Amino acid sequence: MLKYFLMNAWRFPIIKRAWVLPKMSADSFVRDINDNRPIVLCCGDSITHGHIGYDWVGSLRENDSSKIYVNAGVNGDLAWNLNQRLEDALKCNPDYITILIGTNDAMGSEKIKSIQEAYVINKELPQLPSIDWYEKELELMIQYIQSHSNAKIAISTLPWVGEHDSHSIMDVVRNHNVIIKNIAEKYNLTLINLFDHLSHIIGNNSSSEPYVTTQWRTIRIIRAVILHYVFGWNWEKIGNKYGLKTMCDHIHLNERGGHLIEELVRKFLSK
């Protein structure tokens, strides 16, 4: 019963609010022919989508009227999912593209049956997630973008998952980040090293509650959504329950972590 609820929780109206398309999403954006501002296309998963955790894309839009910010983040997406919708996303003819994708690939690549099966079912994947598949899909992504767009591209390393540096998931994240760094160098992309910047803030936060791979992983996300949308808590207050410095639920960024990626993207756009 609990497993069914967790897999279908997003269907409940209160929780579904976190899954609706963000403002100016790539799916709904239509450019005004009289608007000549540069377009920034932000590609990614829920960390970019911005309805679970801090909405850094929305904040950039509110504070910078000189550009048009289009949000191409979708909750739960892996690199393969982003590739399936990349053609449509590029129809906005962006001048800049940011890519932050791979947290779900990393969590899904751990050999934990319940998590891997949930990704295959919920995201309609053709295979189980793996780091090799991630590398292949990420390279295909960059090749496709560069052959179909002249946009300046920045790719970000993945953020931490939880704030225990010694947790096994952190080795998985680091290995995915090696791939990101190699591809950035190979294809001459701007690298946004979010992971390292978060490291300076987090340090050794061993007193925080660790990331878990049980059903509590999903329960924490649902709890964060309810506390934010029903009770009005900000994301930082939600994360405080677990002793987290930059996250609200061990996966999504709170205001402190979100401001960091926002500023790093702003610097990329100012070059």
Side-chain angles (χ1 to χ4, degrees):
M1 186 67 179
L2 179 60
K3 181 179 179 181
Y4 174 83
F5 169 76
L6 295 177
M7 291 188 67
N8 292 276
W10 64 272
R11 300 178 187 274
F12 291 86
I14 293 174
I15 299 171
K16 196 172 184 177
R17 290 177 63 181
W19 266 259
V20 299
L21 290 176
K23 184 178 180 181
M24 292 186 70
S25 71
D27 285 357
S28 61
F29 174 73
V30 178
R31 182 167 192 165
D32 182 343
I33 60 173
N34 296 315
D35 192 338
N36 295 317
R37 290 177 296 167
I39 291 179
V40 184
L41 178 66
C42 301
C43 301
D45 49 33
S46 54
I47 297 172
T48 298
H49 183 273
H51 285 184
I52 309 175
Y54 180 73
D55 182 9
W56 59 270
V57 179
S59 182
L60 281 169
R61 184 185 301 116
E62 290 175 7
N63 292 289
D64 178 18
S65 60
S66 70
K67 299 178 183 66
I68 300 171
Y69 291 87
V70 179
N71 194 321
V74 173
N75 291 356
D77 264 14
L78 286 75
W80 178 84
N81 298 110
L82 178 52
N83 275 337
Q84 306 314 299
R85 53 189 176 85
L86 198 55
E87 180 180 356
D88 287 339
L90 290 176
K91 288 179 180 178
C92 68
N93 193 23
D95 300 278
Y96 301 90
I97 297 174
T98 66
I99 302 169
L100 174 51
I101 191 74
T103 294
N104 291 297
D105 294 84
M107 294 187 296
S109 69
E110 286 198 294
K111 305 300 182 183
I112 300 169
K113 184 178 179 182
S114 59
I115 293 178
Q116 289 194 311
E117 288 181 348
Y119 274 121
V120 170
I121 294 170
N122 293 335
K123 301 305 296 185
E124 300 180 348
L125 304 180
Q127 67 176 74
L128 293 175
S130 72
I131 190 169
D132 292 337
W133 190 34
Y134 173 71
E135 182 173 22
K136 174 186 174 183
E137 291 296 325
L138 191 62
E139 186 153 23
L140 287 172
M141 185 185 303
I142 302 305
Q143 290 173 347
Y144 184 87
I145 292 173
Q146 291 190 331
S147 64
H148 291 79
S149 172
N150 294 318
K152 296 178 181 179
I153 306 169
I155 189 168
S156 176
T157 53
L158 306 182
W160 288 46
V161 176
E163 294 184 352
H164 279 211
D165 189 43
S166 60
H167 196 291
S168 61
I169 189 63
M170 292 299 291
D171 288 332
V172 179
V173 171
R174 287 190 175 91
N175 289 337
H176 281 68
N177 281 340
V178 168
I179 291 171
I180 292 169
K181 292 175 183 178
N182 289 342
I183 285 181
E185 182 177 3
K186 180 176 179 179
Y187 291 95
N188 196 28
L189 313 176
T190 296
L191 178 69
I192 295 176
N193 203 334
L194 175 59
F195 182 93
D196 280 4
H197 281 82
L198 287 171
S199 299
H200 296 321
I201 298 174
I202 296 170
N204 181 24
N205 193 14
S206 57
S207 61
S208 64
E209 292 187 32
Y211 166 77
V212 295
T213 57
T214 63
Q215 293 172 327
W216 279 102
R217 170 178 171 271
T218 304
I219 291 171
R220 285 172 172 174
I221 297 172
I222 295 172
R223 173 186 176 274
V225 169
I226 293 172
L227 287 175
H228 181 74
Y229 289 103
V230 178
F231 295 98
W233 289 25
N234 66 28
W235 301 110
E236 190 167 350
K237 181 178 179 180
I238 294 167
N240 285 342
K241 173 179 172 58
Y242 309 111
L244 299 171
K245 297 179 180 180
T246 64
M247 302 175 191
C248 60
D249 57 7
H250 298 80
I251 298 170
H252 301 97
L253 299 174
N254 64 18
E255 287 79 4
R256 191 177 186 185
H259 287 152
L260 185 55
I261 181 64
E262 180 180 347
E263 183 57 31
L264 292 171
V265 170
R266 198 190 316 275
K267 288 181 179 178
F268 158 64
L269 298 174
S270 67
K271 292 181 179 179

